[in-house]
Amino acid sequence: MKQSGDNNYYNHEYHNNGYGGQNPYYSQPQPPLTPIQPQPPRNSNGNQGGGSFLLGLLLGVILAVLIGGISAAGVKIYDLVKENDAREVNGGSKGAESVLNEDTEKKIATIEEVIGEYYYKDEDIDTDLMIEGMYSGMVDALGDPYSVYYTAEEWNLLMQDTEGIYYGIGAYISVDPATGLGKINGVIPDTPAQEAGLRENDLIYLIDGESAQGLDLSEIVSRVKGEEGTTVRLTIYREGETDYLEIDVERRKIESPTVNYEMYDNGIGYIQITEFDDVTTDQFTEALAVIKGSKAKGLILDLRGNPGGSLPVVVDIARMILPKGLIVYTEDKYGERDEYTCDGQHELNLPLVVLVNGNSASASEILAGAIQDYHKGTLIGTTTFGKGIVQRVMPLSDGTALKLTISAYYTPNGNNIHGVGIEPDIVCEFDGEAYYEREIDNQLQRAIQEMEKMTR
């Protein structure tokens, strides 16, 4: 989870991201699992999950009240249903205009009364938690996986992560849209995640024995992170394995770089951007200066596994690469357009190859899309993720915050790639077997080959 730049724009679902140039960060995500929907391992008392049981019990109680009409609360619920039915017949509910009205207040009070009277564990009733749940529910009901309500604790954690240092396992995490599970987007070298054997595209099924399915990203991240020196047990689904993998990972202080660079013997420079965070602009500026100072003949820019990040940051980096013109523009619900442009004064004058894959998303797609539209470089790899929308985080006065999708973005040629992605100029599927068994990055090799052709 990362903070955006000064305008609080976000271009990706939050991730704890960063990894090095030679790690399992590059593979194209596999097609959606045939609904994995595996049943969670049963706990010691034979139940599959307390949350589902309690929910079922609560629903059962409410159903019994509705059917039997055995209490005043039951009558109130029945009356609410009748009143709502009548409004629908007469042309709809005022709830379409505002969720806060006399009817919703009455229904909330009724539900609270039923819970207070019938729920069998008074000690488990946390009023503050229920209130936060209502706020979260309002945002969740939008059906937008990128719009999130943050509690004060979650917001504080989000702010801490912008420093590039956190206590965790050293893996980048997203939410897999096909399964609703946490997904490892990449692994930082020399961290507990790499030492424990986690790989890109591993799906997190259980965290310390509790299901991760259906949790939003902030919940998954908060459960994976923890106090330094403690251990988290991850139950992993990995394609090709016949059973789940149980992996224990120690939590340590993680310093997450966002830019890595290297000069190859053949005079080709390599820069990898793992995400566009507050510190990324300075790190990229330094890396590019070193590459240019080494008299590189060409540059390979690696955006594989990059989930995105700050819009202002990716725009700053684009201004070090692109010619004069439009970088990206956004359009909101009112048709208002914001344009981000480049003056061309710092245009990169080196042959350029850009590596992308199915985990390259949002801000990384902005950069890759602009480079492709201007024919400034050659894209190699596989189709990108396809996230062409922008989020904005709005802190609230009580320490909580809202992250809402506020607009769509378009490449210089007017393309919105949301749900589609960017097709590379040269398709090159990642060879996982070659990488994990022989440490051969076939996509990087293909990029080097193409660069050698360009610099002859």
Side-chain angles (χ1 to χ4, degrees):
M1 302 192 299
K2 302 292 181 182
Q3 183 188 16
S4 73
D6 293 338
N7 344 4
N8 274 329
Y9 280 110
Y10 286 74
N11 287 347
H12 73 294
E13 187 62 271
Y14 293 99
H15 302 73
N16 289 319
N17 288 357
Y19 77 96
Q22 303 296 325
N23 72 342
Y25 200 73
Y26 304 136
S27 61
Q28 172 76 0
Q30 301 301 316
L33 301 174
T34 307
I36 182 176
Q37 306 297 342
Q39 295 301 314
R42 295 179 178 272
N43 57 29
S44 58
N45 61 11
N47 292 328
Q48 288 188 344
S52 297
F53 173 75
L54 293 178
L55 179 58
L57 178 61
L58 181 57
L59 290 174
V61 169
I62 293 176
L63 183 60
V65 172
L66 285 171
I67 294 174
I70 58 175
S71 70
V75 172
K76 289 179 183 177
I77 294 175
Y78 178 71
D79 287 342
L80 278 172
V81 173
K82 288 183 66 176
E83 290 170 8
N84 288 335
D85 287 344
R87 279 196 305 275
E88 289 173 7
V89 172
N90 293 327
S93 168
K94 294 180 180 179
E97 299 174 2
S98 172
V99 296
L100 186 61
N101 54 48
E102 182 179 350
D103 296 325
T104 53
E105 289 178 356
K106 182 178 180 182
K107 188 166 184 176
I108 289 170
T110 302
I111 291 173
E112 184 177 22
E113 183 178 341
V114 172
I115 291 173
E117 185 168 352
Y118 291 101
Y119 188 63
Y120 80 118
K121 282 189 175 182
D122 283 342
E123 66 274 14
D124 286 351
I125 298 176
D126 186 329
T127 304
D128 291 336
L129 192 60
M130 293 171 74
I131 293 172
E132 296 287 359
M134 287 194 298
Y135 302 147
S136 296
M138 286 181 65
V139 181
D140 290 346
L142 296 174
D144 176 15
Y146 303 109
S147 293
V148 180
Y149 168 79
Y150 292 106
T151 65
E153 181 181 1
E154 291 166 345
W155 178 238
N156 284 333
L157 288 173
L158 182 66
M159 295 294 287
Q160 291 171 16
D161 283 344
T162 64
E163 299 174 359
I165 299 175
Y166 64 94
Y167 294 97
I169 63 174
Y172 311 141
I173 300 174
S174 65
V175 174
D176 178 55
T179 62
L181 297 174
K183 183 174 78 169
I184 303 296
N185 265 17
V187 178
I188 303 173
D190 303 319
T191 62
Q194 185 185 59
E195 294 165 6
L198 287 173
R199 296 182 180 180
E200 182 182 4
N201 290 325
D202 282 349
L203 294 176
I204 303 173
Y205 184 51
L206 301 179
I207 304 171
D208 284 332
E210 296 185 3
S211 176
Q213 195 158 32
L215 300 179
D216 65 38
L217 185 62
S218 60
E219 291 176 304
I220 295 172
V221 170
S222 66
R223 294 186 185 189
V224 171
K225 293 167 62 176
E227 293 183 9
E228 186 175 16
T230 60
T231 298
V232 60
R233 169 163 288 190
L234 302 179
T235 303
I236 296 295
Y237 172 86
R238 179 178 294 167
E239 186 166 355
E241 297 289 341
T242 58
D243 200 356
Y244 293 103
L245 305 176
E246 298 286 345
I247 299 179
D248 292 329
V249 194
E250 182 187 4
R251 299 177 176 108
R252 295 206 298 257
K253 183 177 182 179
I254 306 296
E255 297 187 16
S256 174
T258 63
V259 176
N260 299 282
Y261 61 92
E262 187 175 354
M263 274 297 301
Y264 297 136
D265 293 337
N266 54 7
I268 296 174
Y270 169 90
I271 298 179
Q272 174 196 48
I273 305 177
T274 61
E275 72 175 324
F276 297 94
D277 203 353
D278 294 346
V279 297
T280 307
T281 301
D282 289 342
Q283 292 178 4
F284 181 80
T285 302
E286 177 185 347
L288 188 58
V290 172
I291 296 298
K292 288 180 175 179
S294 301
K295 299 182 179 179
K297 297 185 296 183
L299 173 64
I300 296 172
L301 180 61
D302 194 344
L303 299 178
R304 291 175 295 177
N306 183 321
S310 166
L311 177 57
V313 170
V314 72
V315 166
D316 285 343
I317 289 174
R319 288 172 177 151
M320 302 182 212
I321 297 173
L322 297 177
K324 182 177 181 179
L326 188 63
I327 298 171
V328 64
Y329 68 90
T330 65
E331 247 181 47
D332 65 15
K333 64 189 289 184
Y334 304 106
E336 294 184 4
R337 176 166 162 167
D338 288 326
E339 295 185 351
Y340 300 82
T341 59
C342 176
D343 60 17
Q345 294 184 10
H346 303 285
E347 180 180 356
L348 182 68
N349 292 314
L350 290 173
L352 178 64
V353 170
V354 182
L355 285 168
V356 294
N357 69 1
N359 287 329
S360 304
S362 196
S364 58
E365 291 175 294
I366 288 177
L367 183 57
I371 289 171
Q372 188 178 62
D373 281 4
Y374 281 108
H375 304 288
K376 188 64 185 173
T378 300
L379 271 59
I380 296 179
T382 52
T383 304
T384 61
F385 183 83
K387 182 173 183 291
I389 51 179
V390 179
Q391 282 70 48
R392 184 176 183 179
V393 173
M394 289 155 277
L396 305 179
S397 59
D398 63 352
T400 63
L402 284 178
K403 176 168 72 92
L404 293 176
T405 299
I406 61 167
S407 59
Y409 76 73
Y410 299 83
T411 69
N413 287 348
N415 299 318
N416 177 255
I417 50 79
H418 192 65
V420 178
I422 298 172
E423 293 286 340
D425 302 304
I426 299 174
V427 175
C428 180
E429 298 286 343
F430 177 73
D431 187 343
E433 181 179 349
Y435 182 85
Y436 290 112
E437 294 185 5
R438 302 189 299 278
E439 297 185 350
I440 296 174
D441 184 346
N442 69 300
Q443 290 178 324
L444 179 57
Q445 287 189 340
R446 182 67 180 84
I448 292 173
Q449 291 170 6
E450 188 65 23
M451 182 59 69
E452 288 175 341
K453 293 179 185 176
M454 300 166 88
T455 54
R456 283 175 184 167

